[in-house]
Amino acid sequence: MIRLGAGPLDRVVAVGAHCDDIAIGAGGTLLTMCRARPGVRVDALVLSGGGSEREQEEQAALAAFCPGADLRLTVLKLPDGRLPAHWEEAKAAVEELRERSDPDLILAPRTDDAHQDHRGLAQLMTTAFRDHLVLAYEIVKWDGDLGRPAAYQPLTPEVAEEKVRLLQEHYPSQRHRPWYDREAFLGLARIRGIECHARYAEAFATTKLTLNLGN
């Protein structure tokens, strides 16, 4: 069954190359979705950070970003910034995720992301999950690689503010980074909101979307 459209959402897959990628790119969408659908299953896979303080941060953060959800999180130990050299391990993890999950929606990095870890994971996802709707989130960074999104999830001001609060609360290891602040997160959300006639929004790229306009 081809499921490239946005139908009922009972099962979601969210993947990130690093702890905090999912929350930065799609935290507001997860909050919105999980609150609207109590009990939704969220299978989350993160390729790096396992066994460190970052894994503990990720566990607490995603629990907060997925309230009421059936959250199943796996954090691996691939070295940060070295995904191309660990391609087989990453590929095996994605294929294992595919074997145990048949999601209605996938949240993943963009295939044109400038970071090699993000880009590599995105390429693996579109290969393993060929018949699924993949929304590719964006992460602002010094590379200046933001593009022109194709899909938007409007965020209420309350959800946008909560996303920022949770990011600051649950990832203390990232607070020293110059881009990791309220202005950056809310600023991008405000721009994406303007683009979709909302106050705030998260934006996504998508390469394939099947429509069903006959129903």
Side-chain angles (χ1 to χ4, degrees):
M1 177 180 178
I2 302 297
R3 295 205 315 229
L4 288 169
L9 293 178
D10 298 317
R11 297 200 291 185
V12 176
V13 158
V15 299
H18 317 101
C19 297
D20 79 15
D21 284 355
I22 296 170
I24 291 174
T29 296
L30 285 173
L31 281 169
T32 301
M33 187 167 46
C34 291
R35 285 175 174 167
R37 297 171 177 82
V40 63
R41 175 171 165 175
V42 178
D43 286 284
L45 171 67
V46 180
L47 296 184
S48 63
S52 71
E53 65 172 347
R54 301 222 59 198
E55 180 177 4
Q56 298 174 10
E57 290 178 346
E58 188 76 338
Q59 289 174 341
L62 289 190
F65 276 105
C66 300
D70 177 10
L71 174 63
R72 307 180 188 196
L73 170 63
T74 300
V75 182
L76 303 183
K77 298 181 179 180
L78 274 64
D80 187 353
R82 297 291 186 271
L83 188 148
H86 295 266
W87 188 258
E88 289 302 322
E89 296 170 72
K91 182 177 176 63
V94 170
E95 289 177 345
E96 191 277 332
L97 176 64
R98 176 66 185 95
E99 289 176 0
R100 62 182 168 86
S101 180
D102 188 22
D104 304 304
L105 171 67
I106 295 170
L107 300 170
R110 296 162 32 231
T111 55
D112 59 351
D113 193 295
H115 194 300
Q116 68 271 21
D117 291 356
H118 300 173
R119 186 171 62 251
L121 176 56
Q123 292 167 349
L124 287 171
M125 293 301 294
T126 54
T127 299
F129 292 86
R130 291 181 179 272
D131 299 330
H132 298 77
L133 176 62
V134 179
L135 294 182
Y137 56 74
E138 55 186 357
I139 297 178
V140 65
K141 59 180 86 66
W142 73 271
D143 305 85
D145 64 350
L146 297 181
R148 299 183 64 180
Y152 297 83
Q153 171 58 53
L155 306 178
T156 66
E158 292 75 17
V159 167
E161 290 283 357
E162 183 168 4
K163 173 184 175 176
V164 173
R165 180 182 65 78
L166 292 176
L167 286 172
Q168 294 288 355
E169 176 182 344
H170 288 291
Y171 296 105
S173 67
Q174 304 304 298
R175 292 176 191 156
H176 69 283
R177 299 185 180 277
W179 53 268
Y180 197 90
D181 60 31
R182 170 187 171 83
E183 288 180 300
F185 298 134
L186 275 186
L188 180 58
R190 180 68 186 110
I191 290 171
R192 298 316 189 196
I194 291 171
E195 293 174 351
C196 69
H197 294 264
R199 182 64 185 173
Y200 298 106
E202 286 176 340
F204 304 89
T206 185
T207 55
K208 289 186 179 181
L209 175 64
T210 298
L211 303 176
N212 185 4
L213 303 180
N215 291 337

